[in-house]
Amino acid sequence: MSLKGKVAIVTGAGSGIGRAIAVRLARDEAAIAVLDLNGDGAAETVKLITDAGGKAMALVADCANEKAIKEAATKIRAEWGPITILVNNAGIATFVPYMDISEEVWDRTIAINLKGPHLFCREVIPDMLAAGWGRIINITSSSVQSGSVAQAHYVSSKGGLLGLTKALALEYAPTGITVNMVPPGFIDTPMLRGAPIDAEAFAKTLPMKRIGQPEDIAAACAYLASEEANYMTGQTISTNGGRYMGSA
Ligand code: NAP
């Protein structure tokens, strides 16, 4: 599934799932803008890619900040040209009982998990329209499909991203741009290991009885980014070990 000549942004690519997506799309020959708040993590991902012969650049930016997004996109275009693959992966997840969620926590969660993807979409859709081709992949969460205790703010942000995915999929369906989502469930990353849950014990309750790997999500993204997925938009690839089998 060669993406040779394509330019991709992967947000939150300095860690976990985003890193695996960046490495995988680079293996498929896309040039990857590795964007993260964490500069050391982004540099590490770029090294993994370039050591394997791929093309990548690190960009430190807050994906909730419109000015930072515009500056990053301008830099990418100047180096490599139009951006036609966007993976909105950066996210934060905290656990707070519903009545204790502060306005600040609510707003920051929505800003990073929902407003950020919206700002990135608006930044790159003109490039995609000009190319007559584009791939937007939003990393949502299986918690949107199941609910999650003490995560009303997080689930709401990811539910909003589900809505954005479907709305943009419909609006841009005639243009060659596809917009799809991957809701991960229980993937082995710093986010999961930092959560106040016993991940190993919970994994035993999953149909597949194990935690997933970031590469499992990356494989779904590689398909959605590819030419082979060109008749697929507004869809969900639930990569969750069988945790949730409905569609959303
Ligand atoms: P992770 O290991 O914490 O990686 C997330 C990365 O995003 C980190 O490098 C983080 O930087 C970065 N980031 C956070 N806020 C940012 C911002 N404002 N601007 C730019 N970068 C930012 O988490 P992960 O598990 O790989 O999660 C990736 C995505 O999958 C998230 O959207 C998450 O909600 C979703 N997801 C994960 C799971 C799972 O089981 N792991 C399940 C469902 C959904 P810092 O380290 O500096 O914060």
Side-chain angles (χ1 to χ4, degrees):
M1 292 200 270
S2 177
L3 297 173
K4 204 175 178 68
K6 308 281 191 209
V7 175
I9 299 183
V10 183
T11 71
S15 175
I17 292 171
R19 171 172 291 162
I21 296 168
V23 167
R24 173 58 200 261
L25 297 186
R27 205 177 89 198
D28 293 345
E29 301 184 282
I32 312 293
V34 173
L35 189 141
D36 207 295
L37 261 183
N38 176 347
D40 290 344
E44 216 174 297
T45 303
V46 167
K47 186 169 177 347
L48 284 171
I49 292 172
T50 51
D51 282 356
K55 203 167 160 185
M57 73 166 89
L59 293 157
V60 179
D62 180 348
C63 75
N65 180 316
E66 189 167 22
K67 186 164 169 280
I69 291 169
K70 285 200 174 303
E71 284 170 3
T74 301
K75 189 165 177 216
I76 297 162
R77 285 190 194 101
E79 298 252 344
W80 292 336
I83 301 152
T84 56
I85 300 174
L86 168 64
V87 183
N88 282 311
N89 163 80
I92 55 168
T94 54
F95 288 75
V96 186
Y98 183 56
M99 293 305 286
D100 296 334
I101 297 169
S102 65
E103 187 174 1
E104 189 191 355
V105 165
W106 180 274
D107 286 350
R108 185 73 184 144
T109 305
I110 300 289
I112 295 173
N113 295 1
L114 178 56
K115 187 180 85 172
H118 153 66
L119 293 175
F120 269 106
C121 287
R122 291 236 295 210
E123 181 61 36
V124 302
I125 281 174
D127 286 13
M128 296 177 176
L129 287 173
W133 190 95
R135 296 285 189 263
I136 297 174
I137 302 163
N138 293 325
I139 305 302
T140 55
S141 169
S142 61
S143 66
V144 174
Q145 298 161 312
S146 62
S148 180
V149 173
Q151 288 204 294
H153 50 319
Y154 176 75
V155 177
S156 299
S157 70
K158 293 293 188 175
L161 187 53
L162 176 153
L164 182 69
T165 304
K166 292 191 175 183
L168 295 188
L170 205 53
E171 190 161 338
Y172 290 99
T175 69
I177 301 173
T178 67
V179 190
N180 292 291
M181 59 196 150
V182 179
F186 278 81
I187 304 299
D188 199 355
T189 68
M191 179 185 280
L192 179 69
R193 295 296 175 177
I197 47 172
D198 183 341
E200 299 296 343
F202 188 89
K204 298 275 185 301
T205 70
L206 298 173
M208 288 193 182
K209 312 276 182 224
R210 62 179 173 80
I211 294 171
Q213 295 304 310
E215 290 72 20
D216 296 322
I217 306 302
C221 292
Y223 170 65
L224 291 173
S226 75
E227 215 48 65
E228 282 88 340
N230 67 11
Y231 199 51
M232 189 164 175
T233 196
Q235 304 302 315
T236 305
I237 300 186
S238 296
T239 311
N240 59 26
R243 177 179 183 217
Y244 184 88
M245 296 188 184
S247 62

PDB file of all heavy atoms in Angstrom, residues 3 63 107 176 248:
ATOM      1  N   LEU A   3       2.274   4.896  -0.169  1.00  0.00           N
ATOM      2  CA  LEU A   3       1.800   6.281  -0.047  1.00  0.00           C
ATOM      3  C   LEU A   3       2.904   7.220  -0.545  1.00  0.00           C
ATOM      4  O   LEU A   3       2.986   8.372  -0.121  1.00  0.00           O
ATOM      5  CB  LEU A   3       1.462   6.582   1.416  1.00  0.00           C
ATOM      6  CG  LEU A   3       0.326   5.746   2.025  1.00  0.00           C
ATOM      7  CD1 LEU A   3       0.195   6.020   3.524  1.00  0.00           C
ATOM      8  CD2 LEU A   3      -0.998   6.033   1.331  1.00  0.00           C
ATOM      9  N   CYS A  63      -1.900  21.182  19.812  1.00  0.00           N
ATOM     10  CA  CYS A  63      -2.918  20.996  18.770  1.00  0.00           C
ATOM     11  C   CYS A  63      -4.235  21.684  19.119  1.00  0.00           C
ATOM     12  O   CYS A  63      -5.178  21.632  18.327  1.00  0.00           O
ATOM     13  CB  CYS A  63      -3.105  19.523  18.446  1.00  0.00           C
ATOM     14  SG  CYS A  63      -4.000  18.669  19.684  1.00  0.00           S
ATOM     15  N   ASP A 107     -13.007  22.162  29.640  1.00  0.00           N
ATOM     16  CA  ASP A 107     -12.617  22.973  28.482  1.00  0.00           C
ATOM     17  C   ASP A 107     -11.321  22.475  27.849  1.00  0.00           C
ATOM     18  O   ASP A 107     -11.197  22.432  26.623  1.00  0.00           O
ATOM     19  CB  ASP A 107     -12.461  24.445  28.888  1.00  0.00           C
ATOM     20  CG  ASP A 107     -13.813  25.114  29.121  1.00  0.00           C
ATOM     21  OD1 ASP A 107     -14.851  24.504  28.791  1.00  0.00           O
ATOM     22  OD2 ASP A 107     -13.825  26.242  29.647  1.00  0.00           O
ATOM     23  N   GLY A 176     -13.329  13.516  -3.172  1.00  0.00           N
ATOM     24  CA  GLY A 176     -12.114  12.687  -3.124  1.00  0.00           C
ATOM     25  C   GLY A 176     -11.483  12.649  -1.738  1.00  0.00           C
ATOM     26  O   GLY A 176     -10.463  11.994  -1.526  1.00  0.00           O
ATOM     27  N   ALA A 248     -20.795   2.704  15.562  1.00  0.00           N
ATOM     28  CA  ALA A 248     -21.147   3.998  16.145  1.00  0.00           C
ATOM     29  C   ALA A 248     -20.674   5.098  15.219  1.00  0.00           C
ATOM     30  O   ALA A 248     -19.797   4.884  14.437  1.00  0.00           O
ATOM     31  CB  ALA A 248     -20.503   4.169  17.504  1.00  0.00           C
TER      32      ALA A 248
END
